[in-house]
Amino acid sequence: LREDVYRAIIQGKPVVDFEKIYEDLFDRVALSSLDRGYPLRDNSRSFYDPFKRVFDIIFSLIAGIISLSLYPFIILAIKLDDGGAAFIIQERVGQGGKEIKIIKFRSMKSSDRGVWVKKGDERITRVGKVLRKTRLDEIPQLYNVLKGDISLIGPRPDICGIKENLEKEIPYYNIRTIVKPGLSGWAQVNQERPPQSVEETKERLMYDLYYIKHRSILLDAKIALRTLGILASGTGL
């Protein structure tokens, strides 16, 4: 097949790049292309990477300070709901597969370690449903952004206990950890809901790989704007 392509190029015939067409149409990378050695070109971005980190620090610091005014009301609501802890520390998979601990407002009665959170999950508290809809449960993660565990934009960090099983089920799955995970990402703004099965996770991986290949200031800005749109619409799990 490769010889046929070279021959067509020499003869001046038009050659169509299937992978590029697929990406242009669906804004994601076809997993089948990885079997053919399709490069993601994870080259160092001499300007982008430092700029993104500086922006993460500035935004998380300012937004974190402003959001402190909401803490008393959220904590009180959680306490009045079921009397449990206001915060929860969750184990997630960070860059390079390293385990990180992120802090969130508690929205569930029990841990989600090793288990997908599904729509209508009975573990989600009454106040937790509101916090998840508005994404207010994730406000404390601004500390993790400031610390450098995660970024504002990037693939969502996997739940520890699930990643290991997914790596067995999905080829190339661990590639998504070569960049720092984020609060929001390309998969989150393109999928209607978080993955709740292996097949849905494959689709998420396709979006994550697209982000890894094309990540830039412009793409991050696009994700941020679409995230604001989702927040305004009140959709979420």
Side-chain angles (χ1 to χ4, degrees):
L1 178 60
R2 184 174 300 178
E3 292 179 357
D4 292 336
V5 172
Y6 289 151
R7 188 178 300 111
I9 294 174
I10 294 173
Q11 294 174 354
K13 296 180 180 179
V15 176
V16 179
D17 187 334
F18 168 77
E19 282 81 12
K20 186 178 187 306
I21 291 177
Y22 186 90
E23 287 183 26
D24 291 342
L25 287 175
F26 301 106
D27 293 327
R28 60 192 188 190
V29 171
L31 295 184
S32 59
S33 65
L34 298 180
D35 292 328
R36 296 188 291 272
Y38 184 57
L40 288 175
R41 293 194 296 273
D42 182 36
N43 299 324
S44 175
R45 272 80 166 170
S46 58
F47 175 78
Y48 167 75
D49 290 334
F51 175 85
K52 185 176 184 180
R53 179 57 187 149
V54 171
F55 184 82
D56 280 348
I57 293 173
I58 294 174
F59 183 90
S60 61
L61 185 60
I62 295 175
I65 293 174
I66 294 175
S67 66
L68 288 176
S69 60
L70 299 174
Y71 277 51
F73 302 102
I74 297 176
I75 293 173
L76 179 61
I78 295 174
K79 290 292 184 180
L80 291 176
D81 186 23
D82 64 2
F87 298 94
I88 183 173
I89 304 295
Q90 298 179 325
E91 293 81 17
R92 292 289 188 269
V93 180
Q95 187 174 18
K98 177 183 177 182
E99 182 176 307
I100 58 176
K101 297 182 183 297
I102 63 173
I103 182 170
K104 299 176 66 175
F105 283 118
R106 184 176 61 85
S107 62
M108 300 177 66
K109 301 172 185 177
S110 59
S111 172
D112 63 354
R113 184 182 178 97
V115 182
W116 271 303
V117 180
K118 299 185 177 181
K119 190 173 184 178
D121 199 311
E122 295 183 354
R123 294 173 298 168
I124 302 175
T125 64
R126 290 174 297 177
V127 170
K129 292 178 182 178
V130 177
L131 294 178
R132 284 175 172 265
K133 282 285 185 180
T134 57
R135 303 298 201 278
L136 289 174
D137 62 317
E138 298 188 354
I139 288 179
Q141 289 185 65
L142 290 170
Y143 167 75
N144 293 106
V145 176
L146 181 63
K147 184 181 175 185
D149 293 329
I150 61 177
S151 178
L152 291 171
I153 304 296
R156 282 291 282 173
D158 266 323
I159 299 171
C160 286
I162 289 182
K163 172 182 175 290
E164 293 75 13
N165 294 329
L166 291 174
E167 286 183 342
K168 298 175 183 177
E169 297 281 347
I170 306 174
Y172 314 109
Y173 186 75
N174 61 351
I175 293 179
R176 70 189 301 272
T177 65
I178 66 175
V179 298
K180 190 177 294 186
L183 279 175
S184 185
W186 191 236
Q188 292 93 296
V189 299
N190 279 284
Q191 287 184 298
E192 294 183 359
R193 63 180 185 179
Q196 298 175 27
S197 67
V198 172
E199 288 305 312
E200 291 179 1
T201 303
K202 287 181 180 179
E203 182 181 346
R204 182 188 68 171
L205 177 61
M206 294 162 74
Y207 285 117
D208 287 338
L209 296 179
Y210 180 92
Y211 175 77
I212 291 172
K213 180 182 178 183
H214 298 285
R215 66 190 190 279
S216 64
I217 295 174
L218 184 61
L219 182 56
D220 284 354
K222 184 176 182 179
I223 293 171
L225 290 174
R226 291 181 62 175
T227 300
L228 291 176
I230 292 173
L231 292 175
S233 68
T235 58
L237 180 62

